Amino acid sequence: MEKKIITISREFGSGGRTVGRMVAERLGIPFYDKELVDQIALESGFAPKFVEENGEHSPGSSLFSYAFAHQGIPGVMNGLSTADFLWNIQCSVILQLAEKGPCVIVGRNADYILKDRQDALHVYVFADIPFRADRIVRRYGESDKSPEARLQEKDKRRRVNYQHYTGRNWGQSQNYDVCLDTGVLGIQQCVDIICGIVERSKTEMTPEEKNL
Amino acid sequence: MEKKIITISREFGSGGRTVGRMVAERLGIPFYDKELVDQIALESGFAPKFVEENGEHSPGSSLFSYAFAHQGIPGVMNGLSTADFLWNIQCSVILQLAEKGPCVIVGRNADYILKDRQDALHVYVFADIPFRADRIVRRYGESDKSPEARLQEKDKRRRVNYQHYTGRNWGQSQNYDVCLDTGVLGIQQCVDIICGIVERSKTEMTPEEKNL
């Protein structure tokens, strides 16, 4: 089955977004990351910054646990918590984007939301703490928290969100088709492997190739 | 860092052993699977069949929980349980084999035992239940248990053994460098990806290739 939709789930700082962007450029297909946030914001009525900060985070975390007054039409959230409301919109937007045609989607539990699409390739990208700590400092600069603490906090929020909405264990290999350590393999090679898999999926495998 | 040692951890029926054998043949390096069992048997004094059946299994499972009378010199187990004794020998044999030179090692928690070797590439191979159920019936024939029950039982024993001796979660992507679904990618392609990674590791990556 030809793989047309590529979902990339990633540990913070692993370079998963860069991998996704490069794969999309190489394959000449749309890359949904910031665009996804904007679309969810548009459909939910929340500010893009709010969606960006909370869409992959623990439903019980920080401000997110408060009952926000929705900015749009009263009653539009149908009694759902802000987190659940955002999750529903996120599912709907991701399903629609996948329907539109080939694309790369980064984050937002897209692997789970599109798990039933046979034409989707689900990738998990990770790396060890030193690689990621070095990378986030070079990319996003220093902050008053240590890079390690920033990684742990962000990973924890993504993990809790994933578990809450999918019932699955974040980073468990069986949830994906391929998992790649960017620290060991390098980002360029991860892009090559993913594009190679997509290319190969265009021709049907022989029974021997599939299952020797 | 050139990858010279390849460890393959695998779900039962996923074709991980076949992947390992084909990688070893392609690279022209030794393949340790049955040979590993024989060496552990030789060093432990246990029968190869006993090592094969218990070396990757839950330390508390079935007959294995009984205090076996060791077949060799009395007192040779130094007060260790049979499982712990076998684990110690297994660690020692795997560390020695890796010292001898390039090789492929299948199973037996070799990913954990060789986790500190920078020249080791750790691969996890898995597939969904239908793919594996079909494969074990074609490979090993029918039995009075359903293929699904056989898979679950064997996976559970490997998982419990792994967790007991490594403190890590079996199949968690971060324990490996690359995880591959043979059901989706096909066994031939998994072999190609692993051999491609080994080949590429022979030339130093540029900083751009590593971390764009």
Side-chain angles (χ1 to χ4, degrees):
Chain A
M1 166 67 84
E2 184 175 349
K3 300 296 184 187
K4 295 179 176 174
I5 316 286
I6 298 139
T7 72
I8 311 240
S9 310
R10 77 293 182 218
E11 285 187 338
F12 180 52
S14 66
R17 188 165 57 176
T18 303
V19 168
R21 183 177 47 72
M22 289 172 70
V23 167
E25 280 169 11
R26 175 101 58 97
L27 300 174
I29 61 179
F31 172 60
Y32 298 127
D33 174 33
K34 182 72 177 62
E35 299 72 10
L36 196 56
V37 168
D38 291 343
Q39 191 61 32
I40 294 167
L42 189 71
E43 299 207 10
S44 68
F46 288 116
K49 190 168 164 55
F50 180 81
V51 173
E52 189 167 4
E53 286 176 358
N54 291 287
E56 291 181 296
H57 288 170
S58 159
S61 69
S62 66
L63 276 175
F64 209 45
S65 58
Y66 290 83
F68 259 68
H70 189 261
Q71 305 298 308
I73 305 147
V76 77
M77 283 168 58
N78 292 320
L80 293 173
S81 71
T82 309
D84 289 350
F85 177 72
L86 204 51
W87 169 251
N88 285 354
I89 304 269
Q90 186 170 310
C91 288
S92 151
V93 167
I94 287 174
L95 289 164
Q96 285 168 43
L97 288 177
E99 272 305 307
K100 277 175 66 180
C103 61
V104 176
I105 302 176
V106 170
R108 304 194 168 263
N109 306 343
D111 60 291
Y112 177 79
I113 296 166
L114 301 175
K115 68 183 178 336
D116 297 326
R117 281 193 77 113
Q118 294 297 305
D119 63 350
L121 179 75
H122 303 299
V123 182
Y124 186 75
V125 171
F126 61 97
D128 69 10
I129 297 275
F131 178 87
R132 298 192 287 135
D134 174 62
R135 201 163 192 281
I136 63 166
V137 169
R138 284 189 292 105
R139 293 254 146 177
Y140 310 116
E142 301 276 1
S143 83
D144 42 348
K145 281 188 196 151
S146 74
E148 290 76 13
R150 287 157 70 192
L151 292 174
Q152 279 163 6
E153 188 187 329
K154 199 115 173 179
D155 283 345
K156 185 181 171 189
R157 296 178 80 178
R158 285 182 185 169
R159 185 166 57 244
V160 170
N161 177 282
Y162 187 79
Q163 277 173 334
H164 180 81
Y165 284 108
T166 71
R168 308 202 295 191
N169 182 13
W170 199 55
Q172 183 73 27
S173 55
Q174 288 86 347
N175 300 339
Y176 314 94
D177 301 316
V178 55
C179 307
L180 302 167
D181 184 329
T182 42
V184 170
L185 305 173
I187 283 181
Q188 180 66 60
Q189 182 168 209
C190 294
V191 172
D192 294 343
I193 290 172
I194 297 165
C195 291
I197 292 170
V198 171
E199 188 57 37
R200 190 141 172 183
S201 74
K202 291 178 183 169
T203 44
E204 201 64 43
M205 273 185 271
T206 64
E208 290 69 34
E209 279 180 317
K210 192 168 173 61
N211 189 3
L212 296 160
Chain B
M1 166 67 83
E2 185 175 351
K3 299 296 185 187
K4 295 179 175 173
I5 316 288
I6 298 139
T7 73
I8 310 240
S9 310
R10 76 292 181 219
E11 285 187 338
F12 181 53
S14 66
R17 190 164 56 175
T18 303
V19 168
R21 183 177 47 72
M22 290 172 70
V23 167
E25 279 168 13
R26 176 100 60 95
L27 300 175
I29 61 179
F31 172 59
Y32 298 126
D33 174 33
K34 183 72 177 62
E35 298 73 10
L36 197 56
V37 169
D38 291 342
Q39 190 61 31
I40 295 167
L42 189 70
E43 299 207 8
S44 67
F46 287 116
K49 191 168 162 55
F50 180 81
V51 174
E52 189 167 6
E53 287 177 357
N54 291 285
E56 292 181 295
H57 288 169
S58 160
S61 70
S62 67
L63 277 175
F64 208 44
S65 58
Y66 290 84
F68 258 69
H70 187 261
Q71 305 299 310
I73 306 148
V76 77
M77 283 168 60
N78 292 318
L80 294 173
S81 72
T82 310
D84 290 349
F85 177 72
L86 204 51
W87 169 252
N88 285 353
I89 304 268
Q90 185 169 311
C91 289
S92 150
V93 167
I94 287 175
L95 288 165
Q96 284 168 42
L97 287 176
E99 272 305 306
K100 276 175 66 182
C103 61
V104 176
I105 302 176
V106 170
R108 305 197 166 259
N109 306 344
D111 61 291
Y112 176 80
I113 296 166
L114 300 176
K115 67 183 178 340
D116 297 326
R117 282 193 76 113
Q118 293 298 304
D119 63 350
L121 180 75
H122 304 299
V123 182
Y124 186 75
V125 171
F126 61 97
D128 69 11
I129 298 275
F131 178 87
R132 297 192 287 137
D134 174 62
R135 201 164 191 279
I136 64 167
V137 169
R138 284 189 293 106
R139 294 254 147 178
Y140 311 116
E142 301 275 1
S143 83
D144 41 350
K145 281 188 196 150
S146 75
E148 290 74 13
R150 288 158 69 192
L151 292 175
Q152 279 163 5
E153 187 187 328
K154 198 114 174 178
D155 283 346
K156 185 182 172 190
R157 295 179 80 180
R158 286 182 185 169
R159 186 166 56 242
V160 170
N161 177 283
Y162 187 78
Q163 278 173 334
H164 180 80
Y165 284 108
T166 72
R168 309 203 295 191
N169 181 13
W170 201 55
Q172 182 74 27
S173 55
Q174 288 86 346
N175 300 339
Y176 315 94
D177 301 316
V178 56
C179 306
L180 302 167
D181 184 329
T182 42
V184 170
L185 304 174
I187 283 180
Q188 180 67 61
Q189 182 168 208
C190 294
V191 172
D192 294 344
I193 290 172
I194 296 165
C195 291
I197 292 170
V198 171
E199 187 58 36
R200 190 139 171 185
S201 74
K202 290 178 185 168
T203 43
E204 201 62 44
M205 273 187 270
T206 64
E208 290 68 34
E209 278 179 318
K210 190 167 174 63
N211 188 5
L212 296 158

